[in-house]
Coordinates of all heavy atoms in Angstrom, one line a residue:
S139 N 21.9 55.5 -51.2 CA 21.2 54.6 -50.4 C 19.7 54.4 -50.9 O 19.1 53.3 -50.8 CB 21.2 55.0 -48.9 OG 20.5 56.3 -48.8
T140 N 19.1 55.5 -51.3 CA 17.7 55.4 -51.9 C 17.8 54.5 -53.2 O 16.9 53.7 -53.4 CB 17.1 56.7 -52.1 OG1 17.1 57.5 -50.9 CG2 15.7 56.6 -52.7
T141 N 18.8 54.8 -54.0 CA 18.8 54.1 -55.2 C 18.9 52.6 -55.1 O 18.1 51.8 -55.7 CB 20.0 54.6 -56.1 OG1 19.9 56.0 -56.4 CG2 20.2 53.8 -57.4
I142 N 19.8 52.1 -54.2 CA 19.9 50.7 -53.9 C 18.7 50.1 -53.3 O 18.3 49.0 -53.6 CB 21.3 50.4 -53.2 CG1 21.5 48.9 -53.3 CG2 21.2 50.9 -51.8 CD1 22.9 48.5 -52.9
F143 N 18.1 50.8 -52.3 CA 16.8 50.4 -51.8 C 15.7 50.2 -52.8 O 15.1 49.1 -52.9 CB 16.4 51.3 -50.7 CG 15.0 50.9 -50.1 CD1 15.0 50.0 -49.0 CD2 13.8 51.2 -50.6 CE1 13.8 49.5 -48.4 CE2 12.7 50.8 -50.1 CZ 12.7 49.9 -49.0
I144 N 15.5 51.2 -53.7 CA 14.5 51.1 -54.7 C 14.8 49.9 -55.6 O 13.9 49.2 -56.1 CB 14.3 52.4 -55.4 CG1 13.8 53.5 -54.5 CG2 13.4 52.3 -56.6 CD1 12.3 53.2 -54.0
Q145 N 16.1 49.8 -56.1 CA 16.4 48.8 -57.0 C 16.1 47.4 -56.4 O 15.6 46.5 -57.1 CB 17.9 48.9 -57.4 CG 18.3 50.1 -58.3 CD 19.7 50.3 -58.5 OE1 20.6 49.7 -57.8 NE2 20.1 51.0 -59.5
R146 N 16.5 47.2 -55.2 CA 16.1 45.8 -54.6 C 14.7 45.7 -54.3 O 14.2 44.6 -54.4 CB 16.9 45.8 -53.2 CG 18.4 45.7 -53.4 CD 19.2 45.3 -52.2 NE 20.6 45.2 -52.5 CZ 21.6 44.7 -51.6 NH1 21.1 44.2 -50.5 NH2 22.8 44.7 -51.9
L147 N 13.9 46.7 -54.0 CA 12.5 46.7 -53.8 C 11.9 46.2 -55.2 O 11.0 45.3 -55.2 CB 11.9 47.9 -53.4 CG 10.4 48.0 -53.4 CD1 9.8 47.1 -52.3 CD2 10.0 49.4 -53.0
L148 N 12.3 46.9 -56.3 CA 11.6 46.6 -57.6 C 12.0 45.2 -58.1 O 11.3 44.7 -58.9 CB 12.0 47.7 -58.6 CG 11.6 49.1 -58.3 CD1 12.1 50.0 -59.4 CD2 10.1 49.2 -58.1
A149 N 13.0 44.6 -57.5 CA 13.4 43.3 -58.0 C 12.7 42.2 -57.2 O 12.8 41.0 -57.5 CB 15.0 43.1 -57.7
V150 N 11.9 42.6 -56.2 CA 11.1 41.6 -55.4 C 9.9 41.2 -56.2 O 9.1 42.1 -56.5 CB 10.7 42.2 -54.0 CG1 9.8 41.2 -53.3 CG2 11.9 42.5 -53.2
P151 N 9.7 39.9 -56.6 CA 8.5 39.6 -57.3 C 7.2 39.9 -56.5 O 7.0 39.6 -55.4 CB 8.6 38.1 -57.5 CG 10.1 37.8 -57.3 CD 10.6 38.8 -56.4
G152 N 6.3 40.6 -57.2 CA 5.0 41.0 -56.6 C 5.0 42.0 -55.5 O 4.0 42.1 -54.7
W153 N 6.1 42.8 -55.4 CA 6.2 43.8 -54.3 C 5.0 44.7 -54.2 O 4.5 45.1 -53.1 CB 7.5 44.5 -54.4 CG 7.5 45.6 -55.5 CD1 7.9 45.4 -56.8 CD2 7.0 46.9 -55.4 NE1 7.7 46.5 -57.5 CE2 7.1 47.5 -56.7 CE3 6.5 47.7 -54.3 CZ2 6.8 48.8 -57.0 CZ3 6.1 49.0 -54.6 CH2 6.3 49.5 -55.9
A154 N 4.5 45.1 -55.4 CA 3.4 46.1 -55.3 C 2.1 45.5 -54.9 O 1.2 46.3 -54.5 CB 3.2 46.6 -56.9
D155 N 2.0 44.2 -54.8 CA 0.8 43.6 -54.2 C 0.9 43.3 -52.7 O 0.1 42.6 -52.1 CB 0.4 42.3 -55.0 CG 0.0 42.7 -56.5 OD1 -0.6 43.7 -56.6 OD2 0.4 42.0 -57.4
M156 N 2.0 43.6 -52.2 CA 2.3 43.3 -50.7 C 1.9 44.5 -49.9 O 2.0 45.6 -50.3 CB 3.8 43.0 -50.5 CG 4.4 41.8 -51.2 SD 6.1 41.7 -50.9 CE 6.5 40.3 -51.9
P157 N 1.5 44.2 -48.6 CA 1.4 45.3 -47.7 C 2.7 46.0 -47.5 O 3.8 45.4 -47.8 CB 0.9 44.6 -46.4 CG 0.4 43.4 -46.7 CD 1.1 42.9 -48.0
V158 N 2.7 47.3 -47.2 CA 3.9 48.1 -47.1 C 4.9 47.4 -46.1 O 6.1 47.3 -46.5 CB 3.6 49.5 -46.6 CG1 4.9 50.3 -46.2 CG2 2.9 50.3 -47.8
T159 N 4.5 47.0 -45.1 CA 5.4 46.3 -44.1 C 6.0 45.1 -44.6 O 7.2 44.8 -44.2 CB 4.6 46.1 -42.7 OG1 5.6 45.9 -41.7 CG2 3.6 45.0 -42.8
V160 N 5.3 44.4 -45.4 CA 5.9 43.1 -46.0 C 6.9 43.4 -47.0 O 8.0 42.9 -47.1 CB 4.7 42.2 -46.5 CG1 5.3 40.9 -47.2 CG2 3.8 41.8 -45.4
A161 N 6.5 44.4 -47.9 CA 7.5 44.9 -48.9 C 8.8 45.4 -48.3 O 10.0 45.0 -48.7 CB 6.8 45.9 -49.8
A162 N 8.7 46.2 -47.3 CA 9.8 46.8 -46.7 C 10.7 45.7 -46.0 O 11.9 45.6 -46.1 CB 9.4 47.8 -45.6
Q163 N 10.0 44.7 -45.3 CA 10.7 43.7 -44.6 C 11.4 42.7 -45.6 O 12.5 42.2 -45.3 CB 9.7 42.9 -43.8 CG 10.3 41.5 -43.2 CD 11.4 41.7 -42.3 OE1 11.8 42.8 -41.9 NE2 12.0 40.6 -41.9
T164 N 10.9 42.5 -46.8 CA 11.5 41.7 -47.8 C 12.8 42.2 -48.2 O 13.8 41.5 -48.5 CB 10.5 41.5 -49.0 OG1 9.3 41.0 -48.5 CG2 11.1 40.5 -50.0
V165 N 12.9 43.5 -48.2 CA 14.2 44.2 -48.6 C 15.1 44.3 -47.4 O 16.3 44.0 -47.6 CB 13.9 45.6 -49.3 CG1 15.3 46.3 -49.5 CG2 13.1 45.5 -50.5
Q166 N 14.6 44.7 -46.3 CA 15.4 45.0 -45.1 C 15.9 43.9 -44.3 O 16.9 43.9 -43.7 CB 14.7 46.1 -44.2 CG 14.5 47.4 -44.9 CD 15.8 48.1 -45.2 OE1 16.2 48.2 -46.3 NE2 16.4 48.7 -44.2
R167 N 15.0 42.8 -44.2 CA 15.2 41.7 -43.3 C 15.4 42.1 -41.9 O 16.4 41.8 -41.2 CB 16.5 40.9 -43.7 CG 16.4 40.4 -45.2 CD 15.4 39.4 -45.4 NE 15.3 38.9 -46.7 CZ 14.4 38.1 -47.2 NH1 13.5 37.6 -46.4 NH2 14.4 37.6 -48.5
S168 N 14.5 42.9 -41.4 CA 14.6 43.5 -40.1 C 14.2 42.5 -39.0 O 13.5 41.5 -39.2 CB 13.6 44.7 -40.0 OG 13.5 45.1 -38.6
A169 N 14.8 42.8 -37.8 CA 14.5 41.9 -36.7 C 13.0 42.2 -36.1 O 12.5 41.6 -35.3 CB 15.5 42.2 -35.6
F170 N 12.5 43.4 -36.7 CA 11.1 43.8 -36.3 C 10.3 43.9 -37.5 O 10.0 45.0 -38.0 CB 11.2 45.1 -35.4 CG 12.1 45.0 -34.3 CD1 13.4 45.5 -34.4 CD2 11.7 44.5 -33.1 CE1 14.2 45.5 -33.3 CE2 12.5 44.4 -32.0 CZ 13.8 44.9 -32.1
P171 N 9.9 42.8 -38.0 CA 9.2 42.9 -39.4 C 7.9 43.6 -39.5 O 7.5 44.0 -40.6 CB 8.9 41.3 -39.7 CG 8.9 40.7 -38.3 CD 9.9 41.4 -37.5
D172 N 7.2 43.8 -38.4 CA 5.9 44.5 -38.4 C 6.0 46.0 -38.1 O 5.1 46.7 -38.2 CB 4.9 43.9 -37.4 CG 4.6 42.5 -37.7 OD1 4.5 42.1 -38.9 OD2 4.5 41.6 -36.8
A173 N 7.3 46.5 -37.9 CA 7.5 47.8 -37.4 C 7.2 48.9 -38.5 O 6.8 50.0 -38.2 CB 8.9 48.0 -36.9
Y174 N 7.3 48.5 -39.7 CA 7.2 49.5 -40.8 C 5.7 50.0 -41.0 O 5.5 51.1 -41.5 CB 7.7 49.0 -42.1 CG 9.1 48.4 -42.0 CD1 9.3 47.1 -42.0 CD2 10.2 49.3 -42.0 CE1 10.6 46.6 -41.9 CE2 11.5 48.9 -41.9 CZ 11.7 47.5 -41.8 OH 13.0 47.1 -41.7
A175 N 4.7 49.1 -40.6 CA 3.4 49.4 -40.9 C 2.9 50.7 -40.3 O 2.1 51.5 -40.9 CB 2.4 48.3 -40.5
K176 N 3.4 51.0 -39.1 CA 2.8 52.2 -38.3 C 3.3 53.5 -39.1 O 2.7 54.5 -38.7 CB 3.3 52.2 -36.9 CG 4.9 52.3 -36.8 CD 5.1 52.3 -35.2 CE 6.6 52.4 -34.9 NZ 7.2 51.1 -35.2
W177 N 4.2 53.5 -40.0 CA 4.6 54.7 -40.7 C 4.0 55.0 -42.0 O 4.3 55.8 -42.7 CB 6.1 54.7 -40.8 CG 6.9 54.6 -39.6 CD1 7.6 53.5 -39.2 CD2 6.8 55.5 -38.5 NE1 8.2 53.8 -37.9 CE2 7.7 55.0 -37.4 CE3 6.2 56.8 -38.3 CZ2 7.9 55.6 -36.3 CZ3 6.4 57.4 -37.0 CH2 7.3 56.9 -36.1
E178 N 3.1 54.1 -42.5 CA 2.4 54.3 -43.8 C 1.6 55.5 -43.8 O 1.7 56.2 -44.9 CB 1.5 53.1 -44.2 CG 1.0 53.3 -45.6 CD 0.2 51.9 -46.0 OE1 0.3 50.9 -45.4 OE2 -0.5 52.1 -47.0
G179 N 0.9 55.9 -42.8 CA 0.2 57.1 -42.8 C 1.1 58.3 -43.0 O 0.8 59.2 -43.8
L180 N 2.2 58.4 -42.3 CA 3.1 59.5 -42.5 C 3.7 59.5 -43.9 O 3.8 60.5 -44.5 CB 4.2 59.4 -41.4 CG 5.4 60.4 -41.6 CD1 4.9 61.8 -41.5 CD2 6.5 60.1 -40.6
A181 N 4.1 58.4 -44.4 CA 4.7 58.2 -45.6 C 3.7 58.7 -46.8 O 4.1 59.4 -47.7 CB 5.1 56.8 -45.9
A182 N 2.4 58.3 -46.6 CA 1.4 58.7 -47.7 C 1.3 60.3 -47.5 O 1.1 61.0 -48.5 CB 0.1 58.0 -47.3
D183 N 1.3 60.8 -46.3 CA 1.2 62.3 -46.1 C 2.3 63.0 -46.8 O 2.1 64.0 -47.4 CB 1.1 62.5 -44.6 CG 0.6 64.0 -44.3 OD1 0.0 64.6 -45.1 OD2 0.9 64.4 -43.2
L184 N 3.5 62.5 -46.7 CA 4.7 63.1 -47.3 C 4.6 63.1 -48.8 O 4.9 64.0 -49.5 CB 6.0 62.4 -46.8 CG 6.4 62.7 -45.4 CD1 7.5 61.7 -44.9 CD2 7.0 64.1 -45.3
V185 N 4.2 61.9 -49.3 CA 4.1 61.8 -50.8 C 3.0 62.8 -51.3 O 3.2 63.4 -52.3 CB 3.7 60.4 -51.2 CG1 3.4 60.3 -52.7 CG2 4.9 59.4 -50.9
K186 N 1.9 62.9 -50.5 CA 0.9 63.8 -51.0 C 1.4 65.3 -50.9 O 1.1 66.1 -51.9 CB -0.3 63.7 -50.0 CG -1.1 62.4 -50.2 CD -2.2 62.2 -49.2 CE -2.9 60.8 -49.2 NZ -3.9 60.7 -48.2
Q187 N 2.1 65.7 -49.9 CA 2.5 67.0 -49.8 C 3.7 67.4 -50.6 O 3.8 68.5 -51.2 CB 2.8 67.4 -48.2 CG 1.7 67.4 -47.4 CD 2.0 68.1 -46.0 OE1 2.9 68.8 -45.9 NE2 1.3 67.7 -45.0
L188 N 4.7 66.5 -50.7 CA 5.9 66.8 -51.4 C 5.9 66.4 -52.9 O 6.6 67.0 -53.6 CB 7.1 66.0 -50.7 CG 7.3 66.4 -49.3 CD1 8.5 65.5 -48.7 CD2 7.6 67.9 -49.1
A189 N 4.9 65.6 -53.3 CA 4.9 65.2 -54.7 C 3.5 65.4 -55.3 O 3.3 65.0 -56.5 CB 5.4 63.8 -54.9
D190 N 2.5 65.9 -54.5 CA 1.2 66.2 -55.0 C 0.6 64.9 -55.7 O -0.1 65.0 -56.7 CB 1.2 67.3 -56.0 CG -0.2 67.9 -56.3 OD1 -1.1 67.8 -55.4 OD2 -0.4 68.4 -57.4
V191 N 0.7 63.7 -55.0 CA 0.1 62.5 -55.4 C -1.0 62.2 -54.5 O -0.8 62.0 -53.3 CB 1.1 61.3 -55.5 CG1 0.4 60.0 -55.8 CG2 2.2 61.7 -56.5
S192 N -2.3 62.1 -54.9 CA -3.4 62.0 -54.0 C -3.6 60.6 -53.5 O -4.1 60.5 -52.4 CB -4.7 62.5 -54.7 OG -4.9 61.7 -55.9
D193 N -3.1 59.6 -54.3 CA -3.4 58.2 -53.8 C -2.1 57.4 -54.0 O -2.0 56.5 -54.8 CB -4.5 57.6 -54.6 CG -4.8 56.1 -54.2 OD1 -4.6 55.8 -53.0 OD2 -5.4 55.4 -55.0
P194 N -1.1 57.7 -53.1 CA 0.2 57.0 -53.3 C 0.1 55.5 -53.1 O 1.0 54.8 -53.7 CB 1.1 57.7 -52.2 CG 0.2 58.2 -51.2 CD -1.1 58.6 -52.0
A195 N -0.8 55.0 -52.3 CA -0.9 53.6 -52.1 C -1.5 52.8 -53.3 O -1.3 51.7 -53.5 CB -1.7 53.2 -50.9
G196 N -2.1 53.6 -54.2 CA -2.7 53.0 -55.4 C -3.9 52.2 -55.1 O -4.2 51.3 -55.9
C197 N -4.7 52.5 -54.0 CA -5.8 51.7 -53.7 C -7.2 52.2 -54.0 O -8.2 51.6 -53.8 CB -5.7 51.5 -52.1 SG -4.3 50.5 -51.6
G198 N -7.2 53.4 -54.5 CA -8.4 54.1 -54.8 C -9.2 54.5 -53.6 O -8.8 54.4 -52.5
Q199 N -10.4 55.0 -53.8 CA -11.2 55.5 -52.7 C -12.3 54.5 -52.3 O -12.8 53.8 -53.1 CB -11.9 56.8 -53.2 CG -10.9 58.0 -53.5 CD -10.1 58.4 -52.4 OE1 -10.6 58.6 -51.3 NE2 -8.8 58.6 -52.5
T200 N -12.5 54.5 -51.0 CA -13.6 53.6 -50.6 C -15.0 54.3 -50.9 O -15.1 55.5 -50.6 CB -13.5 53.4 -49.1 OG1 -12.3 52.8 -48.9 CG2 -14.6 52.5 -48.6
S201 N -15.9 53.5 -51.4 CA -17.2 54.1 -51.8 C -18.0 54.5 -50.5 O -17.6 54.1 -49.4 CB -18.0 53.2 -52.6 OG -18.1 52.0 -52.1
V202 N -19.1 55.1 -50.7 CA -19.9 55.5 -49.5 C -21.1 54.5 -49.4 O -21.5 53.8 -50.3 CB -20.5 57.0 -49.7 CG1 -19.3 57.9 -49.8 CG2 -21.3 57.1 -51.0
L203 N -21.7 54.5 -48.2 CA -22.9 53.7 -48.0 C -24.1 54.2 -48.8 O -24.2 55.5 -49.0 CB -23.3 53.7 -46.5 CG -22.3 52.8 -45.6 CD1 -22.6 53.2 -44.1 CD2 -22.6 51.4 -45.9
P204 N -25.1 53.4 -49.1 CA -26.2 53.9 -49.7 C -27.0 54.9 -48.9 O -26.9 54.8 -47.6 CB -27.1 52.6 -49.9 CG -26.1 51.5 -49.8 CD -25.0 51.9 -49.0
D205 N -27.7 55.9 -49.5 CA -28.4 56.9 -48.7 C -29.3 56.2 -47.7 O -30.1 55.2 -47.9 CB -29.3 57.7 -49.6 CG -28.5 58.6 -50.6 OD1 -27.3 58.8 -50.2 OD2 -29.0 59.1 -51.6
G206 N -29.1 56.7 -46.5 CA -30.0 56.3 -45.3 C -29.5 55.0 -44.6 O -30.0 54.6 -43.6

Side-chain angles (χ1 to χ4, degrees):
S139 63
T140 301
T141 297
I142 193 169
F143 177 87
I144 293 295
Q145 287 173 342
R146 293 193 179 188
L147 174 66
L148 298 182
V150 174
W153 73 270
D155 295 324
M156 298 175 179
V158 166
T159 193
V160 175
Q163 167 64 6
T164 302
V165 176
Q166 294 293 101
R167 303 295 181 185
S168 169
F170 304 98
D172 298 323
Y174 305 102
K176 65 178 177 287
W177 300 116
E178 183 175 346
L180 171 63
D183 196 16
L184 285 166
V185 172
K186 291 173 185 177
Q187 290 198 24
L188 300 178
D190 195 27
V191 175
S192 61
D193 183 23
C197 296
Q199 298 296 316
T200 301
S201 55
V202 297
L203 284 168
D205 288 344

